[in-house]
């Protein structure tokens, strides 16, 4: 009875992951999982966690709803991992309350804008091998980026070689608009597709007319080859 009473008295979500350390910081729960050789985000993070440090691990992906149960989360540190993929709904459930999100020093080349634009958190995205494109430009324009690290968001790859190695902010300040480049590319592709369909219709009409002309000529030749009415009368 005492054992069951103890279970009932312990609040749900108060346990600490075996690979982490849980402590109090300014009266709020802090879960410290730094440098623990983690390859994925622990499933048993306490629900009342306010500060969560997962930095310096080997995490490669942030799946959808990875932190959905952490409704009290305010600070999330995922820096110095090996993150390459972030799902669209990776931060669903914590977008409203999160104040800081550190994704610096990972392997992120691109990120769905939907994953970040819903956040109110201050973002750190520096020191990633970014591919400079429209989605990243929109994040830079609309998200709350940490001003101290924004200059370290550098183009690792880009549509034009001259942008490679330069800070994205510098490229944009020079008047480059990756979104308009994408729009022009889309317009050109649409024009080519429409032209191809139009050409196919023209070719079909020409072939149809030629085929009918050949049939007509054959029919005329056949009629000419028939004995005339006058010949039958004689």
């Amino acid at each position: 009875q005492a054992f069951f009473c103890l279970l009932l008295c312990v609040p749900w979500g108060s346990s600490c992951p075996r690979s982490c350390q849980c402590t109090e910081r300014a009266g709020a729960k802090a879960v410290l999982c730094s440098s623990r050789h983690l390859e994925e985000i622990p499933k048993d993070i306490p629900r009342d966690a306010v500060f969560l440090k997962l930095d310096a691990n080997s995490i490669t992906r942030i799946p959808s709803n990875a932190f959905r149960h952490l409704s009290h989360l305010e600070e999330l540190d995922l820096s110095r991992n090996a993150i390459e993929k972030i799902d669209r709904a990776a931060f669903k459930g914590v977008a409203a309350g999160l104040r800081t999100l550190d994704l610096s020093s990972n392997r992120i080349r691109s990120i769905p804008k939907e994953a970040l634009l819903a956040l109110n958190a201050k973002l750190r995205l520096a020191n990633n091998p970014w591919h400079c494109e429209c989605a990243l430009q929109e994040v830079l324009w609309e998200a709350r980026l940490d001003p101290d690290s924004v200059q370290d968001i550098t183009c690792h790859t880009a549509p034009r070689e001259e942008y490679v190695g330069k800070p994205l902010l510098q490229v944009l300040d020079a008047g480059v608009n990756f979104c308009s480049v994408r729009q022009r590319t889309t317009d050109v592709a649409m024009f080519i597709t429409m032209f191809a369909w139009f050409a196919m219709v023209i070719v079909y009409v020409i072939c149809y007319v030629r085929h009918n002309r050949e049939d007509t000529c054959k029919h005329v030749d056949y009629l000419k080859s028939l004995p005339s009415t006058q010949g039958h009368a004689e």
Side-chain angles (χ1 to χ4, degrees), residues 4-187:
F4 286 111
C5 181
L6 181 62
L7 287 179
L8 292 174
C9 291
V10 174
W12 288 101
S14 62
S15 61
C16 191
R18 185 171 55 183
S19 56
C20 304
Q21 177 186 357
C22 295
T23 184
E24 295 288 327
R25 183 193 297 179
K29 175 161 287 187
V31 182
L32 311 178
C33 309
S34 306
S35 304
R36 300 301 176 103
H37 306 289
L38 299 175
E39 296 183 356
E40 60 182 18
I41 297 167
K43 308 291 186 192
D44 51 351
I45 298 172
R47 293 178 177 272
D48 55 348
V50 176
F51 308 99
L52 176 58
K53 288 183 67 65
L54 291 163
D55 56 304
N57 283 292
S58 302
I59 299 170
T60 59
R61 179 191 173 202
I62 307 178
S64 296
N65 302 312
F67 309 100
R68 189 172 186 175
H69 65 292
L70 306 178
S71 58
H72 301 283
L73 195 62
E74 295 182 5
E75 296 185 15
L76 176 57
D77 188 354
L78 288 160
S79 64
R80 295 184 296 150
N81 273 280
I83 298 171
E84 296 181 353
K85 180 175 176 56
I86 299 176
D87 291 355
R88 294 176 183 273
F91 304 106
K92 187 174 182 179
V94 297
L98 205 60
R99 292 192 289 111
T100 62
L101 172 59
D102 195 342
L103 292 168
S104 59
S105 301
N106 278 283
R107 299 176 185 173
I108 307 170
R109 297 189 69 250
S110 62
I111 188 169
K113 63 181 181 180
E114 297 84 358
L116 298 182
L117 294 184
L119 294 173
N120 294 318
K122 183 182 292 185
L123 298 173
R124 297 189 183 97
L125 303 175
N127 302 317
N128 280 287
W130 291 108
H131 174 65
C132 288
E133 58 180 349
C134 182
L136 182 59
Q137 176 179 316
E138 290 176 339
V139 168
L140 193 67
W141 280 348
E142 300 183 36
R144 292 183 58 224
L145 297 179
D146 182 0
D148 296 331
S149 64
V150 68
Q151 287 291 344
D152 294 322
I153 301 176
T154 305
C155 297
H156 184 74
T157 57
R160 297 177 62 174
E161 189 67 27
E162 60 190 274
Y163 306 144
V164 175
K166 293 183 179 180
L168 176 59
L169 193 61
Q170 178 183 334
V171 174
L172 297 178
D173 285 344
V176 177
N177 189 336
F178 293 106
C179 294
S180 65
V181 170
R182 185 181 68 175
Q183 184 62 43
R184 285 199 300 269
T185 302
T186 303
D187 291 343

